[in-house]
Amino acid sequence: MRENKTKKIKRAGEVYKTLLSTYPDAKCSLHYSTAHELLVATILSAQCTDHRVNQVTPALFQKYKSPNDFAYCDVVELAKDVHSCGYHNQKAKSIQGASLKIVEEHGGEVPDNMDELVKLPGVGRKTANCVLGEIYNVPSMVIDTHMVRIMNLLKFTNTKDAKKIEYELMDLFKDEHWVKLTHLIIDHGRGICIARRPQCGACVINKLCPSALT
């Protein structure tokens, strides 16, 4: 029997409440101290673990201390500095290109809206939403691989399209919960709802999940 929207919204609220009580300290796992550092770290995190990015960024941010430093650096050298994050040449070009645009068109300040953020080289909705939520407290939702997988398992969506998922979830969860929701799902995906070996028996939202293995 198909679940109507009212019941789905109620279940979404229960999922959020249960995960929040389980992972009360869930937060962005990337290390940063400025909006630009978060932007750089998020670009580096594509197809790479946050743990690896956090190993690279301390020395990186010591060497390049401002958007200006990244904007006018030697991109070949920058690529070497981020080599271990994978796709280093493309990521270096994106970081330099985004930094240049920030310096020359935004006075050195990372934009605070989606339209301008996604105009930056290497910045898509995922990176933009991360910056908006973490830095500017704008209700936003980062759709990463954990969100795609787990929200499909929860039957809150039936697509792999990140933008469609984002809008569908915004319709189910309260906007003040959007930013935190991503962190809760990531923590749950890393610890319990693991892609190839979900631990349904230990899952706190087992009873709320239509895909749970009983």
Side-chain angles (χ1 to χ4, degrees):
M1 186 170 145
R2 191 169 178 179
E3 184 179 31
N4 65 39
K5 188 175 177 182
T6 302
K7 287 184 177 178
K8 197 175 278 190
I9 289 172
K10 183 174 184 291
R11 186 163 61 88
E14 290 170 356
V15 165
Y16 180 85
K17 183 180 176 182
T18 304
L19 290 177
L20 184 63
S21 66
T22 307
Y23 311 100
D25 300 321
K27 63 180 181 179
C28 178
S29 54
L30 292 170
H31 297 164
Y32 66 92
S33 57
T34 67
H36 186 262
E37 286 186 359
L38 177 60
L39 184 74
V40 170
T42 308
I43 290 173
L44 290 176
S45 72
Q47 306 296 314
C48 180
T49 65
D50 289 357
H51 178 69
R52 167 60 65 185
V53 173
N54 288 336
Q55 290 178 320
V56 169
T57 50
L60 191 70
F61 296 150
Q62 189 64 36
K63 182 174 181 178
Y64 307 95
K65 298 181 186 295
S66 68
N68 206 74
D69 291 344
F70 280 103
Y72 303 111
C73 72
D74 178 344
V75 73
V76 174
E77 189 174 339
L78 178 58
K80 290 178 183 175
D81 293 332
V82 302
H83 185 273
S84 64
C85 291
Y87 302 96
H88 55 287
N89 290 323
Q90 185 54 52
K91 288 179 181 180
K93 287 178 187 174
S94 294
I95 290 168
Q96 186 185 50
S99 300
L100 192 61
K101 202 171 178 74
I102 286 167
V103 168
E104 297 191 345
E105 297 181 20
H106 299 282
E109 297 294 325
V110 176
D112 62 358
N113 63 85
M114 176 65 75
D115 289 345
E116 293 301 324
L117 279 167
V118 295
K119 289 177 185 175
L120 301 175
V123 176
R125 289 189 67 86
K126 179 181 170 185
T127 298
N129 275 325
C130 181
V131 171
L132 290 173
E134 294 299 316
I135 301 296
Y136 297 115
N137 297 313
V138 174
S140 53
M141 203 178 285
V142 175
I143 307 300
D144 76 334
T145 54
H146 294 290
M147 285 283 278
V148 172
R149 185 181 79 256
I150 294 174
M151 290 304 174
N152 269 276
L153 289 172
L154 286 166
K155 306 299 182 188
F156 288 144
T157 186
N158 186 32
T159 178
K160 297 291 194 287
D161 184 301
K163 190 172 181 179
K164 286 182 181 176
I165 293 172
E166 182 184 337
Y167 284 116
E168 286 178 4
L169 297 183
M170 284 176 170
D171 216 24
L172 297 178
F173 291 88
K174 295 179 180 178
D175 58 1
E176 64 262 35
H177 295 163
W178 292 351
V179 175
K180 187 76 167 180
L181 176 67
T182 299
H183 304 318
L184 294 172
I185 292 294
I186 289 172
D187 279 6
H188 192 62
R190 286 173 176 163
I192 300 295
C193 194
I194 303 161
R196 290 179 179 80
R197 46 187 176 88
Q199 300 172 33
C200 295
C203 180
V204 293
I205 54 172
N206 189 308
K207 291 186 171 72
L208 298 167
C209 180
S211 304
L213 302 172
T214 52

